[in-house]
Amino acid sequence: MNTNSAVLVEHNLPCKLRDGTILYSNIYRPAAEGQYPVLLSRTPYNKDLPEFSHRYVDPFRLVRGGFVVVIQDVRGRFASEGKFNPFVQERKDGYDSVEWAGALPYCNGNVAMFGLSYYGYTQIYAAVEQPPSLKAIAPAMTGSHLENGLLFRGGAFELALFETWFLDSIAPDIIDRSEGKNGGYNQVREAVNSLNKWYKYKPVHLWPPATATKELHDFFNTFIQPEEDWLNLSSVTEKLSELEIPAFHIGGWYDCFLGSTIENFEKMAQSNKMQKLMIGPWGHGDFNPLIGDRFFGTHSSGNSIRHQQDLTDLHLHWFNDVFNKPAAAIPPVQIFVMGVDQWRTEREWPIKRTVYTPYYLHQQGQLRTDFPSINEASEKFCYDPEQPVPTTGGATLFYQGINSGPCNQNGIAARPDVLTFTTPVLQRDVEITGPLKAVLWVSSNRKATDFTAALIDVFPDGTSYNLADGIIRLDPMEENTPKQIEIDLWSTSNVFFKGHAIRLHISSSNFPRYDCNPNTGSSMVESVKSIKAMQTIYYGKQYPSYILLPVMPEPEED
């Protein structure tokens, strides 16, 4: 289509669902007569706000590329009717919305979906229902369940993520719909300005910013004290391997949904090989080249990938591949390798040539690839829930993207409640690309507690930056008894240059990213009480603790 052709925009077109509820959409379409594929995005964040309706993809360019674009408010949000029941509602509503879009007079019967975060979920959930008109999806930075990556990670509650999302993105419209912009509305908007204070409040189930109205508080408690049946209804992960639909998955090394994005790709690739995966050095919804304390180059930006194309271009190429079936233009896997700061294509994920290498904990804080020679050794630290390790970057979701990405970890490493194990200075470059985990022997003098682990790149000047991390909640434990645990650190891609060092951080908190375990068997959600815990990390031949790193083999010499 001519890139200068006119675009018509229609506001608040009604879509009637099977139960009679009306959802409203804004439609962008070619002025020229004809029938075109529809690209549908379903959002709870207000289709009329460019920050959320357009986000990282330009609907006008999509239209000029030969598509109709439909952006819809989901049930119970902004212009649309009904009561908002997040995630659970999106399966049937997604099916109905896709079939409605496919029947529009200017649609040729083919529908695809796109969108980020919650409106990535709406794609996955609709796809599970298999609407006949849905031919492809492009979910970015999203998941398919709530228990590992949205509400919880390794059993710990994603405190900052949830409270930020709830207060900034969800609560205002709930109050506005029920009571208008009264004192309650102003109360939640003002609370956003004091989020750092409110993260510390406990018990969380009585969180004052959530008590502006009863409806708001009920919604809040649905998430912080979820019932098992509701969690099961909110998960579709087990169905992904059955889906025969092409999908282009987009993620970021510092995105709070990185693990879920990769999981979606891997599971869906089991039944449909037309799966694409792209991972950049990005945070959640943030495609800028500067994140945290690192700058990855303008070619890493979502606006100038490889200085050749932007994310809208990629979507156009993807949907044209799906609908016009030319030779595949997008490689199966595209990853940004940090350190060397270069894009690279791969045939699969995880990468088959990976050499998974354990780096063992040794005495004097050393991290080495040789198996320990001593029989047993250990290190201890005291974990105080009232003085937790502060969140300093990572794959977080804070207001406006603050406190995310790679940040200087020197202050964290200096804390007495953080154990550090570091390799000797590297004598050659080492590339780590793929999934990673910490396998540790631990004990505690408490029956319930947490352990955390983080992979760190130490620069020649001593400055250190975080690459990946994870947490595990243990309840119950047998007190003072060694136990082997695995902490999933998700994945990364980074070259540790010659002169750098690889470091592992071990601790028991990362607050307010996760709620602090009070070591009592209860939680910060329910209780204000806490007690200190004495934690032990074991290593040696009897209790070999290590971090398993996905090492890329060195290129063969000609």
Side-chain angles (χ1 to χ4, degrees), residues 266-518:
E266 292 178 331
K267 288 187 176 296
M268 292 180 68
Q270 295 177 26
S271 56
N272 185 289
K273 299 305 179 185
M274 197 171 178
Q275 304 292 311
K276 312 290 184 181
L277 175 66
M278 168 177 271
I279 307 176
W282 303 319
H284 189 66
D286 183 356
F287 300 95
N288 291 310
L290 175 64
I291 179 172
D293 296 335
R294 300 283 303 277
F295 176 70
F296 290 106
T298 55
H299 61 294
S300 72
S301 168
N303 293 325
S304 183
I305 298 170
R306 297 188 180 89
H307 293 155
Q308 296 175 353
Q309 56 191 346
D310 62 16
L311 288 165
T312 300
D313 294 325
L314 283 175
H315 280 74
L316 282 168
H317 293 160
W318 167 242
F319 292 128
N320 277 320
D321 281 356
V322 171
F323 290 119
N324 300 324
K325 303 191 185 306
I330 299 177
V333 175
Q334 301 174 78
I335 57 173
F336 189 89
V337 183
M338 297 179 289
V340 292
D341 295 348
Q342 295 175 357
W343 287 99
R344 190 171 74 212
T345 61
E346 296 288 349
R347 291 187 294 271
E348 74 280 319
W349 183 274
I351 301 167
K352 290 181 180 178
R353 65 182 182 278
T354 304
V355 180
Y356 291 96
T357 306
Y359 279 66
Y360 294 96
L361 279 59
H362 285 262
Q363 288 178 304
Q364 297 178 331
Q366 294 186 72
L367 191 65
R368 305 201 308 257
T369 56
D370 58 302
F371 193 81
S373 58
I374 61 170
N375 186 53
E376 180 187 338
S378 64
E379 304 285 345
K380 295 180 181 289
F381 65 92
C382 179
Y383 160 49
D384 181 357
E386 301 303 320
Q387 300 293 329
V389 177
T391 300
T392 307
T396 61
L397 194 158
F398 287 91
Y399 181 68
Q400 294 295 311
I402 62 173
N403 200 3
S404 67
C407 295
N408 188 334
Q409 300 295 304
N410 288 22
I412 299 299
R415 289 176 59 103
D417 55 354
V418 177
L419 301 183
T420 64
F421 294 85
T422 310
T423 65
V425 173
L426 299 176
Q427 300 304 305
R428 62 175 180 85
D429 295 351
V430 177
E431 181 187 331
I432 304 299
T433 295
L436 44 144
K437 63 181 178 180
V439 181
L440 307 174
W441 282 92
V442 305
S443 73
S444 176
N445 66 337
R446 305 302 177 193
K447 293 182 179 180
T449 195
D450 289 354
F451 285 93
T452 63
L455 176 66
I456 310 295
D457 187 350
V458 184
F459 282 49
D461 66 359
T463 307
S464 58
Y465 296 99
N466 51 303
L467 291 163
D469 59 68
I471 189 169
I472 188 169
R473 180 151 292 180
L474 302 173
D475 184 10
M477 290 185 69
E478 188 174 347
E479 295 178 33
N480 299 313
T481 301
K483 174 185 179 65
Q484 189 182 57
I485 63 170
E486 291 189 5
I487 303 178
D488 184 358
L489 276 64
W490 286 353
S491 296
T492 194
S493 180
N494 183 73
V495 172
F496 294 80
F497 289 121
K498 177 181 177 180
H500 287 223
I502 301 171
R503 178 174 289 169
L504 173 65
H505 283 184
I506 300 172
S507 192
S508 286
S509 54
N510 183 351
F511 181 81
R513 183 175 176 185
Y514 306 111
D515 67 322
C516 293
N517 194 321

Side-chain angles (χ1 to χ4, degrees), residues 8-14 23-29 38-41 43 46-50 53-54 59 68-73 79-80 100 104 106:
L8 296 180
V9 181
E10 301 176 89
H11 294 275
N12 287 323
L13 267 71
L23 308 186
Y24 290 92
S25 305
N26 292 343
I27 297 182
Y28 305 74
R29 62 184 178 89
V38 166
L39 306 181
L40 170 65
S41 187
T43 175
N46 194 349
K47 65 181 175 9
D48 296 325
L49 292 180
S53 66
H54 300 183
V68 172
V69 176
V70 176
I71 302 176
Q72 181 184 81
D73 288 330
S80 291
W100 164 80
L104 291 169
Y106 29 78

Side-chain angles (χ1 to χ4, degrees), residues 127 134-137 242-247 268 271-272 274-275:
L134 187 61
K135 301 301 190 294
I137 58 177
E242 305 168 5
L243 298 184
E244 297 183 1
I245 187 169
M268 292 180 68
S271 56
N272 185 289
M274 197 171 178
Q275 304 292 311

